[in-house]
Amino acid sequence: MAASEENSALFPIFILTIMALPMVPYTILKLCHAASKQTKTIHCQCSVCLRSGKYRKSIFKRISSFSTYSNLTLVLLWIILVVLVYYIKHISREVQVFEPFSILGLESGASDSEIKKAYRRLSIQYHPDKNPDPEAHNYFVEYISKAYQALTDPLSRENFEKYGHPDGRQGLQMGIALPQFLLNIDGASGGMLLLGIVGVCILLPLMMAVIYLSRSSKYSGNYVMHQTLSAYYYFMKPSLAPSKVMDVFIKAAEYMEIPVRRNDGEPLQKLFILVRSELNLDLKNLKQEQAKFWKQHPALVKTELLIQAHLSRETAALSPALLRDLRHILELAPRLLEELMKMAIIPHTPQGHGWLRPAIGVVELSQSIVQAVPLSARKASGGSSEGFAPFLQLPHFSEAVVKKVARKKVRTFQDLRDMTTQERAELLTQVVGFSSAESLDVDLVLEMMPSIAIDIKCETEGEEGIEEGDIVTMHAWVTLKRGNDLVGALPHAPYFPFYKEENFWLLLADSVSNEVWMSQKVNFMDESAAIMAASKAIQEIKEGLGASLKEINLAVKEATGKVKKGSRLVMGKFQAPAEGNYNLTSYCLCDSWIGCDNKTSLKVKVLKRSRAGTRGSVVVEEGLSMEDGAEEEEEEEEEYDDYESEYSDDDDVKDVKNNGIVAKGSAHSEGNGSSSDGSGTEEE
């Protein structure tokens, strides 16, 4: 019986040890990481964002931010650990060593007469003839009688006083750290044990496998349905206009599953009247276009109307049910737009190139959804290729405010950004009529907006120049700067109800042929991951060139310093095309801000494959902004009744003859100006 109790007590000790070994260091590491984490505000502090409540740290949001799966699991394990400690402590009190003197209430070394007196006293209290209680009977037989026998027998008492046990010296006892029901298996407990083994070892993994396979067969790795990817791939076309991207975007299978209720008809009819001007309807045949629009699948009609209501900021009149549907649509939008972007830039041509025009359209749609700006506001007007859309993302700005600002010769968004704080405050308070607090909100948002600079070069590693068929490596340092000196930040997006990080797409493309040669997604939030990636890439390049260890360490140190200052290294490889002069363009497009994109030219000459390994040179032209320089040719491939993208110009010349700078080495271009309003710079 005692051995069984000891084995039963060892099992929770064994479980406690197994749990404590990984939990204690993991918890210490997690606490140290939380303590060293800098508490920096990375979201917009303007009054509009504060009123939206998206970043307000209420008790519920604090709980939800803490309530991650890892944190909750860790807390639950610590609760179990504390319960085990309490249980083990309780067991250690119950399982005690046999002490005859303590049982009889005597001190060690008591005489025989004292032992007999104590035994008679306890017999009156616990003997079965005196006390009918069954527990008293068990205590008398198991403890009192055995203690009296151990102390009255001379040999037993001598053994106890010498070795601490009535039976003499005890050998080493071994215990098994298993629960008692496993050590005493009978028919019933054996069946329960078998069912437990079958359930845990067979049925549970089988259920998890079935759930995983059923989900993986329906969703991709980015939690987008495979049916959505098929639809996006089918409807993606090389000449897809930016405003036509909406028609492809709403065909996601996730949106087709949105319920259309009977009582949604009348609110959607009213909503249609409010946003009709934003729909791609032919005004010449308006009745036919309206009838055609309503003949679409009801889920498509509902999704498009709700998105247009969000872009037009006409959501105040929506019912609670429609508002919930709109929140669901906006919650799915970022990852659906990312997959739509991938469908545009995946290889479509025999050369393995993607399509530029639809890729730009997807990014522009993402910008409009995040900032809640209608697509019609992006039509070129005045001196801005983006219209007045960039102004509408600023707090307290409207179309009327933009017209007032334009009278003071602030026609482009970049003009407003280039003004000093005092000049801008005077303009907004005296001309527009803003209060000082509203003017301060505008300054806060402008300080949050990023400015992008790109230092890009293309070269054949280990060779001079680029020849047809070479594997060309693109190296690009993308540098981000803000007025408030932040690197990673959340965009000003008070109308977008969810957490949204800034993402940038770096595209190396030929705008004349509408082809994307290279594409890469860039994020500035995770600095440690960027340092590791840049260090590894630089180390591999230097080792391939045979650099010494000192040179490698210096290059890695320099790259780490760049990353900490707000730069990200982007690398990629592509095969050099046929011999000729190519006027490429590097696009750095932000999916959250309007007017913060960068576009820089990169003119490259690919030479014919030479014999016996002799190499030629490559044409280089640095920092030519596409809107300040380059020859303009107006080539209209297709006519659209909708707005034209800021990047849909066809003014690039594919052949570069006499205006290049010949140099041995690689094609290199450096640009640091935003192309949204013709603000690029020319560097030679």
Side-chain angles (χ1 to χ4, degrees), residues 574-595:
F574 61 91
Q575 187 174 15
E579 176 190 8
N581 298 320
Y582 294 89
N583 188 358
L584 303 182
T585 308
S586 63
Y587 297 84
C588 189
L589 310 177
C590 179
D591 69 345
S592 303
W593 293 97
I594 303 174

Side-chain angles (χ1 to χ4, degrees), residues 145-167:
S145 298
K146 288 185 177 180
Y148 178 73
Q149 183 179 0
L151 294 179
T152 53
D153 183 62
L155 182 60
S156 300
R157 182 170 181 176
E158 183 182 357
N159 289 334
F160 175 77
E161 292 177 349
K162 187 180 294 186
Y163 303 109
H165 198 279
D167 295 333

Side-chain angles (χ1 to χ4, degrees), residues 198-357:
V198 171
V200 173
C201 299
I202 299 178
L203 295 181
L204 184 60
L206 186 61
M207 288 177 59
M208 295 177 64
V210 170
I211 295 173
Y212 172 77
L213 291 175
S214 62
R215 184 174 181 83
S216 62
S217 63
K218 188 177 181 180
Y219 291 91
S220 66
N222 200 19
Y223 297 102
V224 176
M225 296 176 68
H226 291 294
Q227 188 177 351
T228 298
L229 301 181
S230 300
Y232 283 172
Y233 185 82
Y234 178 78
F235 288 105
M236 183 62 62
K237 304 298 180 185
S239 59
L240 191 65
S243 63
K244 301 292 183 182
V245 173
M246 173 74 77
D247 299 334
V248 179
F249 170 66
I250 62 175
K251 288 181 171 60
E254 287 85 350
Y255 291 158
M256 299 293 288
E257 294 180 351
I258 294 178
V260 181
R261 309 170 191 88
R262 292 183 179 180
N263 55 357
D264 289 343
E266 184 177 351
L268 292 179
Q269 289 282 354
K270 295 179 180 179
L271 190 59
F272 174 79
I273 297 174
L274 292 175
V275 302
R276 180 170 52 188
S277 60
E278 298 295 330
L279 302 174
N280 294 321
L281 302 180
D282 187 3
L283 299 179
K284 298 179 181 179
N285 302 314
L286 188 57
K287 291 185 177 180
Q288 295 180 1
E289 289 290 315
Q290 289 182 4
K292 183 180 178 182
F293 177 80
W294 288 104
K295 285 182 180 179
Q296 298 181 97
H297 192 283
L300 293 178
V301 173
K302 182 176 181 178
T303 301
E304 185 169 5
L305 289 178
L306 289 178
I307 293 178
Q308 293 293 354
H310 169 70
L311 298 180
S312 304
R313 304 179 184 178
E314 297 286 352
T315 59
L318 295 179
S319 63
L322 290 178
L323 284 175
R324 287 194 298 270
D325 293 336
L326 177 58
R327 284 182 60 87
H328 180 61
I329 291 171
L330 296 179
E331 184 180 12
L332 297 174
R335 60 174 178 262
L336 291 178
L337 286 167
E338 183 176 347
E339 293 301 321
L340 187 59
M341 181 69 175
K342 293 177 181 178
M343 288 299 159
I345 59 180
I346 61 174
H348 291 282
T349 65
Q351 294 79 20
H353 298 161
W355 293 329
L356 177 63
R357 186 178 178 86

Side-chain angles (χ1 to χ4, degrees), residues 69-98:
Y69 287 114
S70 60
N71 290 341
L72 290 178
T73 303
L74 187 62
V75 170
L76 181 61
L77 290 175
W78 272 108
I79 292 174
I80 296 174
L81 204 68
V82 172
V83 171
L84 280 174
V85 171
Y86 177 78
Y87 178 71
I88 292 169
K89 189 176 180 181
H90 183 68
I91 286 180
S92 64
R93 290 179 179 178
E94 289 184 348
V95 181
Q96 298 177 353
V97 181
F98 182 72

Side-chain angles (χ1 to χ4, degrees), residues 2 43 107-108 114 181 190 213 397 404 408 424 453 514 566 605 679:
H43 61 78
E107 295 182 358
S108 180
E114 291 175 344
F181 72 91
L213 291 175
F397 264 71
K404 291 181 181 180
K408 295 298 179 179
R424 191 162 49 241
N514 190 35
K605 182 178 181 181
S679 59

